[in-house]
Amino acid sequence: EQDISSNAQLLGRGSWGEVYKTLVRGEVAAAKVFLGDVPEESMHREFAILKFLSDVAPHRNVIALKGFLTEPEFCLVMEFCAGGGLDEVVLEVEFR
C-alpha cells in the first residue's frame, strides 16, 4: 500500500478533491484525491474514462493513468505534467 500524503506537495484544489505531486514507486506522479462527499459512481466513471484513454487512445496530449488507490481514500495516480494545469495554460493564452 502506498501512502500518498507522506511525500506529497499540494498542487491544487477543485470541486471534487485535491491534486498532489508525489512519489509512487520512486517515480514522480500526480495524485488526485477525491473528497469524501463525491459520489462513488462519479469516481469510478472518471477512473474508467482515464483508463480507456490511456489504453485505447494513447496520445502525447492525454495524461496517462498510472493506477489508483482505494485506501485510505480513493485516489487516481496519473502521469505528472510539469507544465501546470490546463486552466493555467488556457488563461495564459487568453491574456496574450
Side-chain angles (χ1 to χ4, degrees):
E1 182 175 305
Q2 174 74 35
D3 181 9
I4 295 297
S5 62
S6 67
N7 58 26
Q9 171 191 354
L10 180 64
L11 297 176
R13 289 186 173 92
S15 58
W16 282 23
E18 299 174 331
V19 178
Y20 294 88
K21 178 181 178 182
T22 188
L23 285 175
V24 176
R25 296 187 197 113
E27 188 176 329
V28 176
K32 182 175 186 176
V33 180
F34 288 87
L35 297 172
D37 59 346
V38 174
E40 192 170 320
E41 83 176 39
S42 297
M43 292 185 279
H44 291 180
R45 179 176 165 77
E46 185 158 343
F47 169 77
I49 290 168
L50 284 172
K51 177 77 172 129
F52 173 79
L53 290 173
S54 291
D55 291 351
V56 178
H59 188 275
R60 66 183 183 95
N61 293 335
V62 175
I63 294 172
L65 179 67
K66 302 274 188 186
F68 68 96
L69 300 170
T70 57
E71 296 292 331
E73 51 219 340
F74 191 81
C75 164
L76 297 177
V77 180
M78 301 167 282
E79 169 185 18
F80 176 74
C81 297
L86 179 61
D87 59 334
E88 295 168 0
V89 174
V90 169
L91 287 174
E92 184 177 314
V93 170
E94 271 184 19
F95 290 116
R96 282 191 185 171

